[in-house]
Amino acid sequence: MSSAALELSKAFGFLKQDEVLLIQEIAKKVPVGANVVNIGAGVGTSGIAVIESNPNVKLYTIDISESSPFGGLENERNAFNKYGIPFKHSQINSDSISAGLLNWSPGIFMLIIDDDHNANHLSLELDIWLQHVVKSGYILLHDYNSEFWWEIKDVIDEKLLRNTSRYALYKIADTMISFIKL
């Protein structure tokens, strides 16, 4: 099966093939019309992975950058255009903390976090965003146990992995870790 997300993964390497496949696997589980929030537009790989797998979700991509060499909202729009994928989702040009304070009713079924790799930022981000994820919803975090972003592992372990009464580990694919909210 041809996949624009897998092609972007090969071209840029921000997400590994197994990570893209995990996003696609979970996106297929999202109910029609449910909210998916993708924090960090990058080059569009994760957004395209979601829409390729389930075009009937409400996708929101949040990024602090409109455009930069490392990714941003414009890069995501360009990727959708390049692959001829209809661009009908919402982009929010904001930092993730401010965007997390918005009203996300009726909740988020799939949350992807791959933006600021600072431990303090991620901790605050999780405090704000996890409350919006619905019961049985999915949380995906990129760069878990990465040699480049080692400090975020402790935050994810503390807030999610060790919190077994609220979150269950779903799968790990390379440096993408996923959970189900209980």
Side-chain angles (χ1 to χ4, degrees):
M1 175 176 130
S2 177
S3 167
L6 289 172
E7 286 183 32
L8 284 168
S9 170
K10 287 179 189 172
F12 292 97
F14 293 137
L15 290 177
K16 304 288 189 282
Q17 301 282 299
D18 288 346
E19 296 167 341
V20 170
L21 294 172
L22 178 59
I23 291 170
Q24 291 175 328
E25 174 187 326
I26 293 172
K28 289 176 185 171
K29 299 174 184 283
V30 178
V32 170
N35 291 332
V36 174
V37 173
N38 176 37
I39 302 173
V43 295
T45 311
S46 51
I48 286 178
V50 169
I51 294 300
E52 279 184 321
S53 300
N54 191 342
N56 299 310
V57 300
K58 291 181 183 173
L59 175 63
Y60 298 86
T61 296
I62 299 164
D63 203 295
I64 198 165
S65 176
E66 177 60 33
S67 179
S68 87
F70 304 107
L73 300 174
E74 180 182 37
N75 303 58
E76 182 184 60
R77 289 190 302 272
N78 291 341
F80 271 75
N81 184 48
K82 175 183 177 184
Y83 289 101
I85 300 169
F87 188 86
K88 54 186 179 180
H89 68 276
S90 299
Q91 290 186 320
I92 301 170
N93 188 202
S94 170
D95 67 276
S96 62
I97 303 302
S98 297
L101 298 175
L102 299 173
N103 180 356
W104 289 98
S105 181
I108 298 167
F109 194 85
M110 181 179 182
L111 173 66
I112 304 167
I113 299 179
D114 184 14
D115 64 331
D116 188 324
H117 292 79
N118 172 282
N120 292 331
H121 178 85
L122 179 61
S123 181
L124 180 57
E125 197 169 44
L126 289 171
D127 289 343
I128 291 170
W129 282 99
L130 290 177
Q131 65 186 327
H132 298 301
V133 178
V134 300
K135 183 178 179 181
S136 300
Y138 291 84
I139 302 119
L140 294 88
L141 299 114
H142 191 235
D143 295 314
Y144 177 77
N145 210 19
S146 166
E147 64 181 292
F148 302 109
W149 309 109
W150 55 268
E151 66 179 1
I152 66 169
K153 180 185 183 301
D154 292 339
V155 174
I156 294 169
D157 287 354
E158 176 190 336
K159 301 259 182 194
L160 294 154
L161 197 60
R162 292 187 194 121
N163 196 346
T164 56
S165 65
R166 300 205 59 206
Y167 306 99
L169 176 65
Y170 178 67
K171 286 186 180 177
I172 300 175
D174 205 282
T175 68
M176 179 77 70
I177 189 168
S178 60
F179 298 88
I180 300 173
K181 187 171 182 180
L182 303 175

